[in-house]
Amino acid sequence: MSEKPEHFIIDGKRLDGRSVDELRPIKIEVGTLGRADGSCYLEWGNNKVLAAVYGPRELHPRHRQNMTRSVVQFRYNMASFSVDERIRPGPSRRSIEISKVSREAFEPVVFTKFYPKTAIDVFVEVLQAGAGTRTAGINAASLALADAGIPMRGLVSACAVGKVDGELVIDLMKEEDNYGDADVPVAMTADGQITLLQMDGHLTIDEFHEALKLAKTGCDRMYELQRQALIEKYGKESMIDTEDDGGAPDGDIDE
Ligand code: ADP
């Protein structure tokens, strides 16, 4: 592991040359996998993640079926070669936690009531990890769900905010994530409804409110890139007006 830097911000620039509200470089491709119903490959800084969606498909075993809605299942996994030291294959406490919070980040937006008795399976594979893999996975999963044609209230966009050298910064890189004072991953819809909020470290209440504003800036930027990635694959005419709820019947949102 790298050593703790003496300073994280020098002359207004971070260790990788970014300003406090700048995201790392992002590359997105929708529909990467041929066999999945929906998929997305996303690079964000040093992160490389692949998301695949299967379904809605009949849920087995049957006793896990819900008669009134689809069950969203989310599996986040880090490839054993995704970090410097080989990760032991299989679920870990961390991957189980990330799978759970990521699934919950989509629960308020997916119209699960359209597909009773089924499962919508979301897989996120982290091929290369470099801080912020849960937010990268959520952004990719959001596009894979859209690519699979799963009806949603809108895309979910995610970005972390943190604190280093007493300043709030957006989209933490490795050193900031490892040695910073706070790490706050956030996911939200385009209209700012938060679907994931976690916090590691300490912030004052004022800093916390400021951090949420900064997270919104990052999520807005990510949303724009997600939209562009969908337009690249499907063309502009297929994009839904984000001001309405995608034509879904009133009151049919999964509670
Ligand atoms: P996130 O990836 O969402 O930021 P964490 O804060 O738990 O989640 O992890 C921060 C970073 O630490 C990861 O992105 C990854 O680069 C690194 N990391 C996580 N788990 C391991 C591990 N088992 N071995 C080595 N590095 C890891």
Side-chain angles (χ1 to χ4, degrees):
M1 197 188 273
S2 56
E3 300 222 329
K4 181 175 179 177
E6 209 169 308
H7 297 287
F8 290 94
I9 304 175
I10 302 163
D11 295 333
K13 295 277 174 208
R14 291 152 75 181
L15 298 174
D16 55 5
R18 282 182 294 152
S19 52
V20 293
D21 60 353
E22 194 177 337
L23 300 183
R24 291 172 288 178
I26 296 161
K27 205 175 104 185
I28 307 177
E29 184 186 80
V30 175
T32 316
L33 302 174
R35 288 202 195 97
D37 294 312
S39 58
C40 174
Y41 172 70
L42 184 143
E43 290 183 5
W44 190 357
N46 289 327
N47 295 308
K48 296 184 183 201
V49 305
L50 196 50
V53 167
Y54 296 84
R57 58 185 179 183
E58 194 176 348
L59 174 57
H60 292 289
R62 280 195 167 178
H63 68 82
R64 294 199 50 231
Q65 290 181 355
N66 187 310
M67 294 301 133
T68 61
R69 62 176 182 89
S70 180
V71 174
V72 178
Q73 308 188 109
F74 198 112
R75 196 194 73 170
Y76 163 102
N77 182 56
M78 263 176 140
S80 55
F81 51 79
S82 63
V83 290
D84 289 339
E85 281 193 24
R86 179 179 178 274
I87 291 183
R88 208 174 146 188
S92 61
R93 279 175 68 100
R94 179 176 172 278
S95 71
I96 292 168
E97 173 226 317
I98 295 179
S99 299
K100 175 184 182 287
V101 297
S102 301
R103 174 175 53 74
E104 288 169 356
F106 288 99
E107 258 169 20
V109 300
V110 177
F111 289 112
T112 52
K113 284 184 180 166
F114 290 172
Y115 306 105
K117 302 190 208 168
T118 68
I120 297 170
D121 290 307
V122 186
F123 297 90
V124 165
E125 292 290 322
V126 178
L127 308 176
Q128 185 173 292
T133 57
R134 81 193 61 201
T135 47
I138 288 170
N139 290 321
S142 185
L143 289 172
L145 282 161
D147 186 38
I150 308 288
M152 295 187 283
R153 282 178 63 205
L155 292 172
V156 174
S157 310
C159 183
V161 190
K163 185 177 158 190
V164 292
D165 288 352
E167 277 201 59
L168 293 173
V169 295
I170 210 165
D171 183 20
L172 306 182
M173 57 180 284
K174 195 85 203 292
E175 286 78 2
E176 295 168 339
D177 192 312
N178 287 348
Y179 303 113
D181 302 323
D183 174 12
V184 187
V186 179
M188 60 176 76
T189 54
D191 58 2
Q193 306 239 16
I194 293 173
T195 66
L196 167 110
L197 175 61
Q198 295 185 281
M199 182 156 115
D200 192 7
H202 298 278
L203 292 177
T204 64
I205 290 179
D206 287 347
E207 283 170 342
F208 178 72
H209 288 298
E210 203 47 46
L212 286 187
K213 277 191 211 154
L214 214 47
K216 172 97 172 60
T217 315
C219 291
D220 286 349
R221 174 82 189 115
M222 179 57 69
Y223 175 75
E224 215 25 70
L225 296 173
Q226 288 172 305
R227 239 176 92 82
Q228 277 170 24
L230 283 176
I231 289 170
E232 231 161 78
K233 179 160 184 214
Y234 290 104
K236 206 165 181 118
E237 62 280 2
S238 64
M239 293 302 291
I240 295 163
D241 180 1
T242 54
E243 290 302 306
D244 66 23
D245 62 1
D250 285 347
D252 226 350
I253 297 169
D254 184 44
E255 282 114 35

